[in-house]
Structures are given as structure tokens and as C-alpha cells.
């Protein structure tokens, strides 16, 4: 009796672990950033350092959004100083004077003078974007690819 229940509980635990792992794996690949996308190139306009990381400001031309300004509020991971998380804002004003804005949040990793950012952006035009950004600190350039979903 009791030995049989213990063996069944062990089997049930393994089944639960397998199901949870499967669901997490499936959700990790749920967004396929290979559909519609748009890219933009920009430049760093300023960098401000503080004790936890810093702030990187960027400007660019962004098609339907016009001239855009973006802020990356970077917080270093105290255990791994070449990575961390960030939050930020963006605003764009097109040729007709229409304004769109958005919030940004994600993670980053630095490799030498290159910082790579992965973010989710909520834009006032109703779009949600997954964005991959590459900032070259030495060249002061920014390359972004947005995947609306």
C-alpha cells in the first residue's frame, strides 16, 4: 500500500515537471520574429552615467513615426555587469505634426563596445512591437529592427 502510493507520487511529479517544461518551451518560441518588420538607423545623442548604470538617448528617422527620440534607462545586473535590464520611452513626430509615443522595457547584454537590447514596446497607435537593438558605443550608432504583433 504505502510503497505503491510513494512510487505513484514520484511518477506524477515527473509528469508535472515534464508538462510545465513543455509549456514553458512552447511559450518561449510562440513569437516568431520573422514576419512583418521595419528597421531604422539612428545615433546616440547623449549618455549619462550613474551608480546603477545610466541613460542612453537616441534619435532617428523612423518612417511613419517621423523623427523619433528614444531613452534607454539602463540598470546593470550587480552580479553580471555586462548585462541587465532597461526601461524607456519613445516619441515620434511625423511631417504632419502627429505624435505617437510608447513605453519600452527589456534586457540587454554588452559585448565589448556593442550593446544588444531586446525589448517589448507598447505604442500609442495600438501596436505592440518586439524590438532588437544594436548600439555601437564607439561609433555612437544605433540599429533597430521592430516586429509588430
Amino acid at each position: 500500500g504505502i510503497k505503491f502510493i510513494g512510487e505513484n507520487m514520484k511518477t506524477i511529479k515527473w509528469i508535472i515537471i515534464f508538462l510545465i517544461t513543455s509549456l514553458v518551451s512552447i511559450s518561449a518560441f510562440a513569437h516568431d520574429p520573422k514576419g512583418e518588420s521595419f528597421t531604422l538607423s539612428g545615433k546616440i545623442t547623449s549618455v549619462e552615467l550613474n551608480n546603477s548604470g545610466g541613460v542612453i538617448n537616441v534619435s532617428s528617422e523612423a518612417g511613419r513615426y517621423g523623427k523619433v527620440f528614444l531613452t534607454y534607462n539602463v540598470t546593470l545586473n550587480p552580479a553580471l555587469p555586462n548585462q541587465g535590464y532597461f526601461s524607456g520611452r519613445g516619441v515620434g513626430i511625423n511631417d504632419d505634426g502627429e505624435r505617437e509615443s510608447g513605453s519600452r522595457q527589456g534586457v540587454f547584454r554588452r559585448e565589448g563596445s556593442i550593446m544588444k537590447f531586446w525589448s517589448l514596446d507598447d505604442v500609442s497607435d495600438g501596436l505592440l512591437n518586439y524590438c532588437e537593438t544594436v548600439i555601437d558605443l564607439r561609433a555612437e550608432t544605433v540599429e533597430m529592427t521592430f516586429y509588430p504583433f
Side-chain angles (χ1 to χ4, degrees):
I2 293 175
K3 184 176 181 183
F4 178 72
I5 292 172
E7 289 175 7
N8 281 342
M9 289 303 289
K10 194 180 291 185
T11 302
I12 291 171
K13 283 182 188 177
W14 281 111
I15 291 171
I16 290 171
I17 289 170
F18 172 77
L19 290 174
I20 289 172
T21 304
S22 297
L23 291 173
V24 169
S25 298
I26 290 168
S27 66
F29 295 104
H31 177 66
D32 181 15
K34 295 190 178 29
E36 176 190 347
S37 68
F38 64 95
T39 61
L40 61 93
S41 297
K43 62 180 180 173
I44 295 174
T45 58
S46 68
V47 174
E48 179 183 327
L49 303 176
N50 58 44
N51 290 335
S52 63
V55 179
I56 301 170
N57 289 300
V58 170
S59 71
S60 178
E61 289 293 331
R64 68 176 176 248
Y65 294 116
K67 182 72 169 187
V68 296
F69 301 93
L70 302 155
T71 299
Y72 295 77
N73 299 299
V74 175
T75 302
L76 300 172
N77 180 329
L80 301 164
N82 288 327
Q83 69 183 48
Y85 65 93
F86 79 98
S87 64
R89 300 281 309 156
V91 64
I93 301 174
N94 68 20
D95 291 339
D96 297 329
E98 298 167 334
R99 178 185 182 276
E100 298 290 349
S101 63
S103 66
R104 319 185 75 222
Q105 46 280 322
V107 295
F108 74 91
R109 176 171 289 141
R110 185 182 66 81
E111 299 166 357
S113 64
I114 304 295
M115 291 184 79
K116 295 180 181 179
F117 293 81
W118 298 271
S119 67
L120 295 174
D121 304 348
D122 178 17
V123 185
S124 61
D125 63 2
L127 289 179
L128 297 174
N129 291 305
Y130 165 67
C131 179
E132 295 178 357
T133 303
V134 177
I135 295 179
D136 184 329
L137 297 169
R138 300 231 354 118
E140 298 182 12
T141 58
V142 180
E143 300 291 330
M144 290 182 260
T145 303
F146 293 89
Y147 300 92
F149 63 94

